[in-house]
């Protein structure tokens, strides 16, 4: 389920940016990011570890090493992450494979495949030193061997290991070597040579390192079991570990991060190299069920690519054989296929869905897209596109690799790691809606941004209904809504379907009182709306006239008579001072107004009148 969720998010990211290469052909390059290595052979990273890549050095003397490079600087730690010794020193021997548990950041477990000093093909489990997500070394004393299979020859060891979408560990093992598979291992389902194996390293509790890993509580068997849905598991004749067979030297294999399909680069004998393809297995199916993909026979030693080898004991052309999706001739320069990956990174959307592979001898790099039904399309030579320039060159390619983002690397046996990049500014294609100099897809993948609706667009970059203080609604990004003083609605809501509730505003009544109501409610109540954004604290609703009030205390009585006497017979602007009758002078007419409204209380500022609008006296507000 974890794989399916991650694949859905990644597929959405790809869809969001995948059309960007339609306008113009993008330019690519291979940029050297690490140098100074000894026989590098592989690059990988734990799931969700976005700050590191791990590099296999095949051997230095009799020691194979795992090196750690820090991202984004690609600085190489001087101290190896792990040294495995002694390993054998044949051309195809040494430390060959590395796979991190899908939950490595929490449990620290990883597996290595190497040829031991006695030439045995060996699979061993190690654990990192704590804290697993940041430690720079592994615990060399934690080694636990799962199997060590004696090999009579020094070549065709295979050695790729990796976890599939089902969280099972897959192990690619060659036919044991020599030429033309003299022991017939490829077609012999009772030997582990010439196979793709599939094992469960977690046990029933789905946690590695516990007592149930070997399937028997209280026993000290090798810490793995064979899943019951393997094609030869249980009472069925054949090795329980086998998933596919008929392989010669499967050198570098992978799973498509989005579809779960498996790609196998199988090295040929003298004539044909091949890339094999297996559709994703339908979870829960068993041998014979529709959608079950285990038990494929790729034909070796009877078939080399699509060609019949003519070797003894073989029947060619059987419908039970699985043909490669892309065979190619060895010729004068090609000699050994290097399997790769379907590009699923974020930085170069124009390469989405392209499977990268190479040839060790010719230094050629190609891509194709799987078209379905065992066919490919858009086969493209890429070595020209990926020329690094600056006097550098990519030669003796031993592997491809991915970091946790799904970005692609090329491993040069001469001691260098190159990253596949684009010349597009600012170093990647595609949108950067939050302008943090990272592709949006990377932000979603590493948790910098959320993508609740899994549409490949960071949530903070999606507009949604914003209810402004005025009560108006605008479709804005959350940041713009906050700046405007509004409140964002949930993701997926827009103003057309989520109108904001009308905002309250100051409502002034005839008696000078104020209430905060919606405009409609104010009018219904007989008030006057003061406009969006207003409050009673700032509205200054006008008080009603208070006739007979000469001193402004809104209470009519002796104090007003005193004001009139003080200004007696003076000429003033009409209506000012003690001029209550509007005659322009102060006298008997004004005294008459006070007497007319005697003892009135108009409300307002005088506490004796009570709250604003508390009008007594009957005639206070009438001339």
């Amino acid at each position: 389920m974890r794989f399916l969720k991650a694949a859905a998010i990644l597929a959405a990211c790809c869809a969001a940016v995948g059309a960007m290469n339609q306008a113009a052909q993008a330019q690519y390059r291979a940029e050297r990011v690490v140098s100074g290595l000894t026989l590098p052979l592989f690059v990988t990273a734990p799931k969700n570890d976005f700050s590191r890549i791990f590099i296999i050095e095949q051997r230095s003397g009799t020691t194979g090493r795992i090196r750690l490079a820090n991202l984004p600087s690609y600085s190489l730690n001087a101290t190896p992450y792990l040294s495995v010794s002694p390993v054998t020193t044949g051309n195809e021997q040494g430390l060959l494979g590395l796979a991190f548990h899908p939950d490595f950041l929490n449990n620290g477990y990883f597996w290595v495949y190497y040829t031991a000093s006695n030439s045995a093909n060996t699979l061993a489990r190690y654990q990192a030193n704590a804290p697993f997500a940041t430690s720079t070394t592994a615990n060399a004393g934690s080694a636990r061997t799962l199997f060590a299979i004696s090999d009579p020859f020094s070549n065709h060891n295979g050695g790729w290991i990796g976890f599939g979408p089902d969280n099972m560990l897959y192990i690619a093992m060659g036919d044991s070597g020599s030429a033309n598979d003299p022991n017939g291992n490829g077609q012999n389902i009772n030997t582990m040579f010439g196979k793709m194996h599939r094992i469960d390293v977690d046990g029933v509790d789905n946690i590695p390192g516990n007592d149930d890993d070997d399937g028997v509580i209280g026993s000290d068997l090798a810490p793995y079991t064979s899943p019951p849905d393997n094609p030869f598991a249980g009472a069925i004749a054949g090795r329980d570990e086998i998933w596919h067979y008929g392989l010669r030297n499967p050198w570098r294999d992978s799973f498509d991060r989005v579809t779960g399909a498996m790609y196998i680069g199988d090295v040929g004998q003298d004539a044909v190299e091949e890339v094999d393809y297996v559709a994703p297995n339908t979870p829960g199916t068993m041998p014979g069920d529709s959608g079950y993909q285990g038990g494929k026979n790729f034909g070796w030693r009877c078939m080399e690519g699509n060609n019949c080898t003519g070797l003894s004991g073989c029947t060619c052309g059987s419908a039970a054989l699985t043909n490669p999706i892309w065979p190619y001739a060895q010729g004068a320069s090609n000699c050994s296929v290097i399997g790769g990956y379907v590009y699923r990174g974020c930085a170069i959307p124009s390469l989405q869905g392209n499977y990268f592979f190479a040839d060790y001898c010719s230094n050629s790099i190609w891509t194709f897209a799987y078209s379905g039904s065992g066919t490919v399309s858009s086969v493209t030579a890429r070595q020209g596109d990926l020329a690094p320039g600056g006097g550098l060159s990519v030669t003796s390619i031993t592997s491809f690799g991915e970091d946790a983002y799904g970005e692609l690397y090329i491993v040069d046996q001469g001691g260098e790691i190159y990253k596949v990049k684009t010349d597009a500014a600012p170093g990647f294609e595609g949108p950067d809606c939050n302008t943090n100099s990272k592709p949006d897809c990377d932000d979603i993948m590493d948790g910098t941004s959320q993508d609740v609706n899994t549409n490949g667009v960071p949530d903070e970059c999606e507009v949604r209904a914003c209810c402004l203080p005025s009560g108006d609604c605008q479709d804005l990004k959350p940041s713009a809504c906050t700046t405007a003083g509004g409140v964002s609605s949930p993701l997926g809501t827009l103003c057309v379907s989520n109108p904001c509730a009308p905002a309250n505003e100051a409502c002034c009544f005839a008696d000078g009182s104020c209430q905060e109501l919606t405009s409609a409610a104010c009018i219904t109540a007989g008030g006057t709306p003061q406009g969006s954004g207003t409050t009673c604290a700032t509205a200054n609703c006008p008080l009603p006239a208070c006739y007979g009030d000469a001193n402004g205390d809104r209470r009519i009585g002796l104090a007003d008579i005193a004001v009139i006497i003080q200004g007696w017979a003076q000429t003033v602007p009409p209506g000012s001072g003690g001029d209550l009758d509007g005659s322009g002078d102060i006298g008997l007419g004004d005294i008459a107004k006070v007497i007319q409204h005697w003892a009135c209380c108009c409300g307002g500022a005088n506490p004796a009148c009570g709250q604003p609008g508390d009008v007594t006296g009957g005639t206070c507000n009438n001339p």
Side-chain angles (χ1 to χ4, degrees):
M1 295 300 293
R2 288 178 292 177
F3 172 82
L4 295 176
K5 181 178 180 181
I9 294 173
L10 184 54
C13 291
C14 296
V17 297
M20 296 199 57
N21 63 328
Q22 300 300 315
Q25 176 66 42
Q27 297 298 311
Y28 314 113
R29 58 190 167 89
E31 179 180 287
R32 188 175 70 179
V33 292
V34 181
S35 61
L37 299 164
T38 301
L39 296 179
L41 207 62
F42 189 48
V43 173
T44 189
K47 182 180 178 181
N48 295 328
D49 188 340
F50 300 101
S51 62
R52 304 181 292 182
I53 56 173
F54 294 77
I55 304 165
I56 287 180
E57 290 183 319
Q58 182 180 359
R59 63 182 181 275
S60 177
T62 60
T63 300
R65 296 181 296 197
I66 299 174
R67 305 293 301 276
L68 192 158
N70 305 284
L71 305 183
S73 66
Y74 292 98
S75 60
L76 187 68
N77 288 3
T79 301
Y81 187 76
L82 177 71
S83 294
V84 178
S85 181
V87 299
T88 39
T89 58
N91 182 49
E92 297 181 22
Q93 295 176 318
L95 180 58
L96 305 177
L98 168 64
F100 292 94
H101 191 275
D103 198 27
F104 169 82
L105 296 185
N106 291 316
N107 63 40
Y109 284 108
F110 63 96
W111 286 256
V112 298
Y113 184 107
Y114 65 97
T115 55
S117 58
N118 60 358
S119 296
N121 294 327
T122 304
L123 179 69
R125 185 188 73 195
Y126 286 84
Q127 190 173 34
N129 287 314
F132 307 133
T134 57
S135 63
T136 59
T137 57
N139 178 6
S142 66
R144 180 79 187 277
T145 299
L146 279 70
F147 62 68
I149 301 175
S150 180
D151 192 338
F153 303 105
S154 65
N155 58 343
H156 300 183
N157 302 291
W160 172 86
I161 56 177
F163 282 88
D166 52 4
N167 291 332
M168 299 298 169
L169 181 62
Y170 290 75
I171 306 110
M173 188 175 293
D175 65 5
S176 90
S178 189
N180 292 316
D181 190 12
N183 295 323
N185 290 324
Q187 293 299 308
N188 182 357
I189 59 173
N190 293 305
T191 177
M192 293 184 75
F193 291 118
K195 311 298 189 298
M196 179 67 69
H197 300 288
R198 174 178 180 257
I199 62 175
D200 182 354
V201 296
D202 288 348
V204 176
D205 66 1
N206 290 318
I207 301 172
N210 287 350
D211 186 38
D212 71 335
D213 291 352
D214 58 11
V216 181
I217 301 298
S219 179
D220 194 31
L221 299 171
Y224 77 91
T225 59
S226 296
D229 57 343
N230 276 5
F232 307 112
I236 303 173
R239 292 285 309 219
D240 290 0
E241 297 94 338
I242 295 173
W243 184 242
H244 302 305
Y245 62 108
L247 295 166
R248 183 177 180 272
N249 188 26
W251 184 251
R252 297 309 175 230
D253 316 301
S254 65
F255 290 96
D256 185 333
R257 288 186 173 209
V258 169
T259 68
M262 187 179 210
Y263 290 78
I264 302 171
D266 196 13
V267 179
Q269 178 66 52
D270 297 315
V272 181
E273 302 298 310
E274 66 181 74
V275 176
D276 299 313
Y277 171 91
V278 184
N281 189 55
T282 301
T285 57
M286 298 293 286
D289 293 346
S290 176
Y292 180 78
Q293 301 297 336
K296 303 296 184 186
N297 182 356
F298 295 102
W300 178 251
R301 74 176 190 145
C302 299
M303 303 290 293
E304 183 183 8
N306 292 326
N307 298 344
C308 182
T309 62
L311 295 173
S312 62
C314 284
T315 301
C316 295
S318 169
L321 300 181
T322 299
N323 291 323
I325 57 170
W326 188 252
Y328 69 93
Q330 289 188 353
S333 57
N334 296 323
C335 76
S336 181
V337 66
I338 306 297
Y341 293 84
V342 176
Y343 179 77
R344 296 297 184 186
C346 299
I348 319 177
S350 55
L351 292 178
Q352 279 293 330
N354 280 274
Y355 175 74
F356 279 75
F357 66 106
D359 190 275
Y360 175 76
C361 294
S362 66
N363 304 319
S364 298
I365 301 173
W366 301 276
T367 62
F368 63 64
Y370 182 68
S371 303
S373 302
T375 61
V376 302
S377 63
S378 305
V379 181
T380 304
R382 295 289 185 182
Q383 60 265 34
D385 291 343
L386 297 175
L392 300 174
S393 60
V394 181
T395 60
S396 301
I397 300 169
T398 54
S399 183
F400 292 86
E402 291 179 309
D403 60 23
Y405 286 111
E407 297 304 328
L408 195 63
Y409 297 82
I410 306 169
V411 181
D412 187 320
Q413 192 177 34
E416 300 170 322
I417 307 296
Y418 290 85
K419 185 178 183 180
V420 177
K421 301 193 73 173
T422 174
D423 285 331
F428 56 88
E429 304 167 3
D432 178 20
C433 69
N434 54 15
T435 63
N436 67 347
S437 299
K438 280 172 53 184
D440 291 343
C441 182
D442 280 356
D443 288 334
I444 294 170
M445 199 179 305
D446 65 21
T448 300
S449 299
Q450 297 299 307
D451 181 22
V452 173
N453 57 2
T454 65
N455 67 347
V457 180
D459 292 346
E460 73 267 24
C461 300
E462 291 199 67
V463 299
R464 72 281 302 273
C466 174
C467 294
L468 300 171
S470 64
D472 294 333
C473 184
Q474 294 185 28
D475 291 330
L476 300 173
K477 294 180 183 179
S479 58
C481 183
T482 300
T483 300
V487 177
S488 280
S489 298
L491 183 66
T493 57
L494 299 174
C495 290
V496 66
S497 59
N498 188 60
C500 300
N504 288 341
E505 56 187 85
C507 177
C508 292
F509 291 92
D511 61 3
S513 65
C514 179
Q515 295 183 46
E516 291 181 5
L517 304 170
T518 65
S519 177
C522 178
I523 294 171
T524 299
T528 301
Q530 299 301 295
S532 61
T534 59
T535 65
C536 286
T538 59
N540 293 321
C541 294
L543 292 170
C546 188
Y547 296 99
D549 180 21
N551 67 347
D553 66 358
R554 304 189 68 78
R555 189 173 181 83
I556 315 303
L558 289 175
D560 301 300
I561 295 291
V563 170
I564 293 171
I565 293 173
Q566 185 178 359
W568 192 264
Q570 292 184 17
T571 300
V572 297
S576 63
D579 180 26
L580 302 179
D581 61 359
S583 63
D585 54 48
I586 300 174
L588 289 176
D590 304 302
I591 294 290
K593 285 293 183 183
V594 173
I595 294 172
Q596 180 182 356
H597 299 94
W598 192 262
C600 276
C601 189
C602 301
N606 191 333
C609 295
Q611 297 298 317
D614 179 13
V615 178
T616 60
T619 61
C620 294
N621 303 124
N622 297 314

